[in-house]
Each structure stands twice: as C-alpha cells, then as structure tokens.
Amino acid sequence: MGAGFLVGVIGVLILSHATYSTIQYRALLKITEEEFSGPSIDVVIELIVSLALCLWAAMAAPGNFKSIHPQSEENRVVALPANLDFMIFNHRGKIFPLETELKLK
C-alpha cells in the first residue's frame, strides 16, 4: 500500500462527504420548502478535489508499466505451466506470414 492508494482512499472519502453534504442540503431545502437549483460551491470544490485525487491515484497506484515488446527481457518465459492441457500450438495464426513485405508507393 503506497502513497497512491492512500491518496485514492482520501479522494473517495472526500467524494462520499460531498455526496452526504448534497443529500443533507436537499433535505434542508425540503424542510424550508425551497427549490433545489444546484449544489453549493463548497460541494463543487470538494467534487473537483476528489476527482483530481482519484485520477492521480488511478495513475499512481497500479505501479510501473511493463514492456510489451516481444524481444524484451522482461517477457521471457521462465518455466512452462504445470498444466499443459490448455496449451494450443495449432491455431489459425500460422497462415499469416511472419514478415510482411508491404511497400507503400
């Protein structure tokens, strides 16, 4: 649990507080028989702050990106899985040429 996860939890808590404040504000307007025209400015600020924190946490919490290139050393198979029943080597992908020799004119 890093800093990104903690920021995400704080963002969700602020979002839930903004939700609760809006519900409480609408209940107060029903009691005073006034019309709801929109949330108050403090709720809007809370929503913007919680959006920023949740977006930052979504980008920071998962960690570093891994390489997707097939020649990368990170993608090498260390060992075959124990259950070889689901490994399929005959598939339709072999009909495609390995190297495409397309030239643009």
Side-chain angles (χ1 to χ4, degrees), residues 5 11 13 19 21 25 30-32 42 61 86 101 104:
F5 182 76
L13 289 175
T19 305
S21 296
Y25 178 65
K30 282 183 183 178
I31 292 173
T32 59
D42 60 336
F86 294 104
E101 297 179 11
L104 296 175

Side-chain angles (χ1 to χ4, degrees), residues 41-86:
I41 191 69
D42 60 336
V43 172
V44 173
I45 291 172
E46 283 183 1
L47 288 173
I48 292 171
V49 169
S50 68
L51 173 70
L53 290 176
C54 289
L55 284 176
W56 187 80
M59 295 302 291
N64 297 332
F65 291 110
K66 303 290 184 195
S67 176
I68 61 170
H69 298 293
Q71 292 82 16
S72 176
E73 289 297 323
E74 296 173 357
N75 294 337
R76 299 290 176 220
V77 177
V78 179
L80 291 175
N83 188 358
L84 298 176
D85 292 338
F86 294 104

